[in-house]
Amino acid sequence: MPSLMMLSGPSAGLRHELLAEATIGRSPSCELPLPADDRMSRRHARFFVRDAQVFVEDLGSRNGTAVNGERIQGEVALQPGDRVQVGQTTVLLAPEGPAVRVGTPRAGTRQLPIQEVLPHVGMEAALYSAGAALLGATSEARVLRYLAEQALLALHADAAAALLGSVKGLLTAAVVGAPAVEVPRDMANAALERAEQGRSDTVLCSPLVASGGPPFGLLYVERAHGPFSEVEGQLAIMLGRLGGEAYAAVRSFSGPQPERVELVGTSRPFRKLVEQARRAAASEAPAVFVGEPGTGKALCAQYVHTRSSRALGPFVRVDCRDEALLEDALFGRTSRPGEPPLPSALLRADGGSLLLVHVERLPRALAERLARLLSRKRAPGREGGEEPVDVRLLATASESPRVLGSRGELEDALASRLAGLELELPPLRSRRADIPPLFERFALRGAHAARGPPPVLSPEARALLLDYPWPHNARELELLAERLGRLHPGVSLAPSLLPPEFHGAGSAAESLSLQERVARLERDTIAEALRTARGRKIVAARLLGISRPTLDKKIEDYGLTVERRRG
């Protein structure tokens, strides 16, 4: 029997067996009512079966229905694996396979509260507690902290530590029960070089190991009252293995470390900014990056993080303009049907940096709650309550937090928490000497995408770039240079290849918003790619690095005419 599975949107995870017909929409009268999807019409689309074939039909919805990325008209036959986009929801026509249904009750069944079944004493309880804590860790730093805490409790120890590194140097230590510990060299050698546990009456030292590799750290435990038993030694070994697997899993899920970015430029205002950024990297104080849109505030924040003592920790970015998801992103949420719990940004940033982009857009109620948590160095806990965190706060803003606070555009308590370092990023028009090297860097990126050498500015084109007011700063230069690098690799760029606003139309261009400017650049880029490809869409799509259906959609959106030419 065919079935429909919601892959994304407010009802992700929901599965519906398609018996004959099902209408999807926000109306409660639909067989598939999705009232939380505000981009869906009341009766958006209809799925139905005819002659053993599944079809979908748009019901005149406001935002349309798309199958595998292409908007449809009328009825369209679906094949297993096809994806249908309706509002924010992606629906998969699930292939035939194992199915799970809710059936009738069975006689003789009974129910047990899980808290009565879970172990509370002994090794089983210790392993259960440690496993649950480590599975809930949201960063590498939290894995090490939870591991040390669980070892301290399970082994009734005086001090415990989880460390990374080698015999030559241990780092990223999480120590509980004491301000510091000293690991005997022979035990460190045994754990890190031979994957062996070191034992004495008062000390256990077990390797941190993940599947398929040598040790990359160790778990150290000490106590003064009574020797460790054989069972406790086994438990320490198991905790080391659990901690190693948890650390490897969190690192694989969180992806690579934040890229170490470089700031490009030699002008005097830019050199002053780089010096300020280096001082900010050596500090632990909150830092706010202030400037016009497009000046690279978030990039500068990443530069500071990757050169700070927290460079090995997470770099979590939250955009305060995303109102629909902002509260969940900042403070997390519990699980709900079909969706696992979401840890808060404060938990995910533990041991690293939290960047609030456009902090002035943060609603007052959320800002007050965030300021309270930051003042106590706490975060919403995974199981209710709060947990201690160590987070450095970074933020980008259009103006100084003091100014925003005085005008009521930023909540006072959060403005006070941001008091620390302020870095003002200069607009591109005040650092014109940096325009040519920035253009070369961005154009090289576009040329690499086209698998060719970078273009070169002619003297006339260079002069036009230097005279242009750059109302949208480095972001605008990036868009232009990447486009020219992609479409004209290895070419000497004449002034005629620059957009019209560079030829005396600057005042009209300044009135365009960044979104309008991006749309214009995209439209011109697509038109130029089509001319270069002589109207052959598949070639133009390859030049642009997009799929053919995406190109067709953008041609329709921009009303472009495609002329096929021979030769």
Side-chain angles (χ1 to χ4, degrees):
M1 181 183 298
S3 60
L4 306 174
M5 179 176 288
M6 313 302 148
L7 297 182
S8 66
S11 298
L14 177 67
R15 188 183 185 110
H16 177 82
E17 291 186 357
L18 187 61
L19 300 175
E21 179 177 319
T23 303
I24 187 170
R26 289 189 294 110
S27 172
S29 65
C30 295
E31 288 79 10
L32 280 169
L34 301 178
D37 191 337
D38 56 10
R39 295 194 60 196
M40 192 177 292
S41 299
R42 287 184 58 79
R43 293 177 60 82
H44 196 107
R46 180 174 71 106
F47 295 90
F48 60 95
V49 180
R50 185 171 62 212
D51 298 331
Q53 172 68 55
V54 179
F55 292 82
V56 64
E57 176 188 15
D58 185 77
L59 299 178
S61 63
R62 182 178 70 254
N63 293 315
T65 302
V67 175
N68 298 329
E70 294 191 18
R71 194 160 177 166
I72 65 170
Q73 300 289 336
E75 299 177 359
V76 173
L78 298 178
Q79 300 300 323
D82 282 348
R83 298 186 178 211
V84 181
Q85 190 71 35
V86 283
Q88 301 177 56
T89 300
T90 302
V91 183
L92 171 75
L93 178 59
E96 293 290 337
V100 178
R101 301 179 180 87
V102 178
T104 57
R106 292 189 178 184
T109 60
R110 58 195 180 101
Q111 290 77 39
L112 293 172
I114 61 172
Q115 293 300 331
E116 295 182 7
V117 179
L118 293 174
H120 296 285
V121 294
M123 182 183 290
E124 288 183 349
L127 288 176
Y128 164 72
S129 176
L134 292 171
L135 286 171
T138 53
S139 68
E140 292 100 324
R142 294 194 77 82
V143 169
L144 297 176
R145 183 187 302 172
Y146 290 160
L147 180 59
E149 291 173 348
Q150 292 296 318
L152 188 80
L153 293 173
L155 298 169
H156 308 287
D158 299 319
L163 309 99
L164 301 182
S166 64
V167 177
K168 296 180 180 178
L170 295 167
L171 59 135
T172 319
V175 182
V176 294
V181 296
E182 183 176 336
V183 182
R185 178 171 291 276
D186 58 339
M187 290 190 176
N189 280 329
L192 295 168
E193 295 183 354
R194 301 190 299 275
E196 297 174 351
Q197 183 186 62
R199 293 190 192 183
S200 73
D201 286 345
T202 59
V203 169
L204 290 174
C205 185
S206 302
L208 295 187
V209 184
S211 300
F216 58 85
L218 58 85
L219 173 64
Y220 175 83
V221 185
E222 64 181 29
R223 75 181 182 200
H225 58 283
F228 289 107
S229 67
E230 191 72 22
V231 171
E232 288 175 323
Q234 294 174 355
L235 179 57
I237 290 174
M238 288 187 278
L239 289 175
R241 179 61 190 274
L242 283 174
E245 294 290 356
Y247 191 92
V250 169
R251 169 158 288 192
S252 67
F253 293 149
S254 61
Q257 294 291 326
E259 182 182 355
R260 188 178 170 90
V261 299
E262 298 293 339
L263 300 180
V264 176
T266 57
S267 65
R268 182 173 296 179
F270 183 78
R271 292 200 306 271
K272 179 181 177 182
L273 170 67
V274 172
E275 182 58 34
Q276 290 175 334
R278 287 173 178 163
R279 288 200 296 269
S283 171
E284 283 288 304
V288 183
F289 304 84
V290 179
E292 297 178 7
T295 49
K297 299 185 288 293
L299 188 71
C300 191
Q302 188 171 336
Y303 176 93
V304 168
H305 169 81
T306 56
R307 284 159 177 78
S308 72
S309 60
R310 296 172 178 266
L312 293 177
F315 180 71
V316 177
R317 171 176 171 153
V318 175
D319 193 331
C320 298
R321 296 169 297 182
D322 191 359
E323 296 183 7
L325 304 175
L326 184 56
E327 185 171 4
D328 284 355
L330 278 176
F331 305 115
R333 58 165 170 75
T334 58
S335 59
R336 51 197 183 200
E339 295 185 41
L342 176 68
S344 71
L346 290 168
L347 275 180
R348 289 182 282 123
D350 187 29
S353 304
L354 171 62
L355 173 63
L356 302 176
V357 180
H358 295 283
V359 68
E360 67 272 21
R361 298 287 294 275
L362 189 60
R364 179 168 293 274
L366 300 187
E368 290 175 351
R369 183 180 175 189
L370 179 63
R372 288 196 300 269
L373 290 168
L374 289 169
S375 66
R376 301 197 308 271
K377 296 184 178 181
R378 313 287 287 186
R382 298 162 299 143
E383 299 177 359
E386 295 179 352
E387 297 185 36
V389 290
D390 174 25
V391 174
R392 184 184 187 185
L393 184 62
L394 308 175
T396 72
S398 57
E399 296 183 78
S400 166
R402 294 190 303 275
V403 175
L404 293 170
S406 67
R407 294 206 303 255
E409 297 178 22
L410 184 63
E411 197 274 329
D412 290 339
L414 184 58
S416 298
R417 296 303 310 170
L418 289 169
L421 303 171
E422 285 188 19
L423 288 76
E424 185 171 355
L425 279 76
L428 191 57
R429 59 183 174 275
S430 69
R431 42 179 291 221
R432 295 187 182 276
D434 297 332
I435 292 175
L438 282 171
F439 180 91
E440 292 173 4
R441 183 182 184 89
F442 297 142
L444 179 63
R445 190 188 303 164
H448 279 168
R451 299 183 179 180
V456 179
L457 285 170
S458 68
E460 297 80 9
R462 181 188 180 99
L464 288 175
L465 292 184
L466 292 173
D467 290 339
Y468 184 65
W470 297 107
H472 300 290
N473 295 295
R475 177 58 177 155
E476 184 179 2
L477 176 60
E478 180 182 13
L479 291 169
L480 173 69
E482 283 197 12
R483 168 205 168 198
L484 293 175
R486 185 183 290 274
L487 293 177
H488 304 289
V491 171
S492 176
L493 295 172
S496 60
L497 296 177
L498 298 178
E501 55 264 29
F502 287 83
H503 301 277
S507 59
E510 287 188 57
S511 64
L512 295 177
S513 68
L514 180 59
Q515 185 176 3
E516 291 168 335
R517 185 172 297 279
V518 170
R520 174 187 285 187
L521 284 171
E522 186 175 55
R523 181 199 63 203
D524 293 345
T525 300
I526 292 171
E528 195 156 353
L530 288 168
R531 286 195 297 271
T532 302
R534 298 180 177 272
R536 291 173 293 176
K537 292 182 181 180
I538 191 67
V539 176
R542 192 181 306 122
L543 286 173
L544 293 166
I546 60 178
S547 67
R548 169 66 181 276
T550 301
L551 176 60
D552 287 335
K553 183 178 184 303
K554 291 185 179 294
I555 289 173
E556 180 182 352
D557 290 344
Y558 291 123
L560 296 173
T561 301
V562 181
E563 296 181 3
R564 187 71 181 266
R565 292 180 290 166
R566 297 182 178 276

